[in-house]
């Protein structure tokens, strides 16, 4: 479980954006019925691609859209994706507490694991 600090956008000194790529991970938010990937320049890493494909297989919609810190509610479940784990829960962003639900984390891992292994070589 991680806490995370949002970044201020250069286009507006008063708007705090949810950065889509905090160094080595992408961040996404589960709203209860779909996943939001913040609209930003991101590296669409393999884990993100496989998770998006798995979400579609499981019938869970995902979208990219503008997302601001003020848009987040405690009912959102935030998670980081990277090559080590498809879903690392985020407990808060700045002072905004978010839901940490092991069931949602398990669902996201299940979506990721719907992807078949591919032989190398």
């Amino acid at each position: 479980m991680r806490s995370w600090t949002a970044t201020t956008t250069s286009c507006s000194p008063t708007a705090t954006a949810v950065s889509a790529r905090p160094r080595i991970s992408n961040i996404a938010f589960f709203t209860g019925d779909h996943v939001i990937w913040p609209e930003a320049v991101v590296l669409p890493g393999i884990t993100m691609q496989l998770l998006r494909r798995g979400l579609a297989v499981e019938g869970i919609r995902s979208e990219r859209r503008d997302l601001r810190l003020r848009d987040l509610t405690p009912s959102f479940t935030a998670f980081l994706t990277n090559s080590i784990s498809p879903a690392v829960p985020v407990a808060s962003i700045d002072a905004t507490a978010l839901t940490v639900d092991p069931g949602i984390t398990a669902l996201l891992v299940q979506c990721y694991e719907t992807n078949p292994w591919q032989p190398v070589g």
Side-chain angles (χ1 to χ4, degrees):
M1 188 168 16
R2 299 272 319 247
S3 291
W4 194 60
T5 302
T7 58
T8 303
T9 63
S10 59
C11 61
S12 171
T14 60
T16 302
V18 176
S19 172
R21 190 164 176 257
R23 308 248 187 242
I24 63 167
S25 302
N26 290 312
I27 191 166
F29 301 86
F30 187 74
T31 65
D33 66 351
H34 71 284
V35 172
I36 300 170
W37 302 89
E39 185 66 52
V41 177
V42 299
L43 174 64
I46 297 300
T47 304
M48 179 183 176
Q49 292 176 48
L50 292 174
L51 184 54
R52 290 184 76 173
R53 185 183 308 159
L55 289 165
V57 166
E58 295 295 320
I60 300 170
R61 184 173 60 92
S62 70
E63 65 177 343
R64 287 188 63 184
R65 71 171 173 89
D66 186 51
L67 190 63
R68 303 278 177 193
L69 187 58
R70 67 177 175 263
D71 299 330
L72 302 180
T73 68
S75 66
F76 277 45
T77 300
F79 59 96
L80 301 175
T81 65
N82 59 43
S83 60
I84 296 171
S85 176
V88 177
V90 176
S92 65
I93 298 176
D94 291 344
T96 303
L98 301 166
T99 298
V100 174
D101 182 339
I104 299 299
T105 302
L107 172 66
L108 295 167
V109 170
Q110 174 187 323
C111 289
Y112 174 80
E113 290 177 347
T114 64
N115 292 283
W117 286 88
Q118 296 181 355
V120 176

